Amino acid sequence: MPRARSDLDTRIVLAARTRFLGEGVDGASLRSIAQDAGTNVGMIYYYFPTKDDLFLAVVESVYARLLDDLTEIFAPERPVRERLHGAYQRVARMSDEEFDVIRIVVREAMISSSRLQKLFARFTAGHVPLLLSTLQAGLADGTLSPGVPLPALVAALASTVIFPQLARRRIGAELPMLAQILPTPQALADALFEIVMHGVAARPGG
């Protein structure tokens, strides 16, 4: 029984994600992606006129759901500390598919300036304003130390929210025996959160 055509774009994105993860965006051929998706190159161009369009569709396939969750986590009525802790825990709960896309994003952002610009544009229309408004609220209400510059706060979060979890996930996949002695993703998120907050939280009395 032939597959419904309505799911063709989804199959193309899934095939592209696998190929991009293993071969990189530039290294993956559209012909191979089309074969994996059970279609032809012409249909890929029909849905995704350029390879970068396909790359962004791969990102969006998980980013849209993540952004919905972060919008709820960073809701302005929630205390700042609770928002930040929620972000750490959401990353700890990421699915394998989400982590695969993050690995693709990190690699492509480092090797392609044009894709980095496209990612920057998407993220600045997505989670970045939520994060910045949370940090600004934390500086205003005294949760965060006013002595820590905003760029330093962003850098502290960026370096501790995702990358340690990526490393742990890779260790777990490649060295299962070692993974047994590592903290769980949730415990790692809690520990990293407390370390960062110890450095950036406002001190009583000034």
Side-chain angles (χ1 to χ4, degrees), residues 11-199:
R11 287 190 280 124
I12 292 171
V13 168
L14 292 176
R17 184 177 72 203
T18 300
R19 289 284 177 175
F20 291 169
L21 182 64
E23 304 168 13
V25 174
D26 291 327
S29 75
L30 293 181
R31 187 176 301 277
S32 296
I33 293 170
Q35 183 176 9
D36 294 346
T39 187
N40 55 66
V41 173
M43 290 307 297
I44 293 181
Y45 281 121
Y46 174 79
Y47 285 105
F48 310 102
T50 70
K51 205 180 224 186
D52 276 4
D53 291 329
L54 181 53
F55 163 69
L56 291 174
V58 168
V59 174
E60 197 66 28
S61 68
V62 301
Y63 183 64
R65 180 174 64 250
L66 177 60
L67 182 57
D68 286 343
D69 290 347
L70 290 177
T71 299
E72 181 178 348
I73 288 168
F74 285 125
E77 64 270 15
R78 301 180 69 178
V80 169
R81 183 181 174 91
E82 183 179 312
R83 292 186 234 175
L84 295 175
H85 183 251
Y88 276 83
Q89 282 296 323
R90 176 59 181 84
V91 172
R93 296 194 304 273
M94 276 187 173
S95 66
D96 290 340
E97 292 78 10
E98 289 171 327
F99 268 106
D100 285 346
V101 172
I102 287 176
R103 289 172 57 198
I104 295 169
V105 164
V106 170
R107 180 172 57 197
E108 296 304 317
M110 290 190 296
I111 66 176
S112 171
S113 59
S114 65
R115 287 178 201 127
L116 176 60
Q117 291 174 355
K118 291 180 174 68
L119 290 168
F120 181 78
R122 178 64 184 102
F123 295 160
T124 53
H127 71 279
V128 172
L130 301 173
L131 174 60
L132 292 179
S133 65
T134 293
L135 296 178
Q136 289 167 343
L139 292 170
D141 69 10
T143 301
L144 303 174
S145 171
V148 181
L150 186 59
L153 290 172
V154 173
L157 291 172
S159 62
T160 57
V161 172
I162 291 178
F163 292 110
Q165 296 287 359
L166 273 175
R168 191 205 177 284
R169 187 69 62 102
R170 292 295 291 170
I171 292 171
E174 297 179 7
L175 300 170
M177 294 295 293
L178 180 58
Q180 295 178 12
I181 65 173
L182 294 175
T184 65
Q186 291 74 23
L188 178 60
D190 285 341
L192 292 168
F193 172 73
E194 292 300 335
I195 290 170
V196 170
M197 288 302 297
H198 180 75

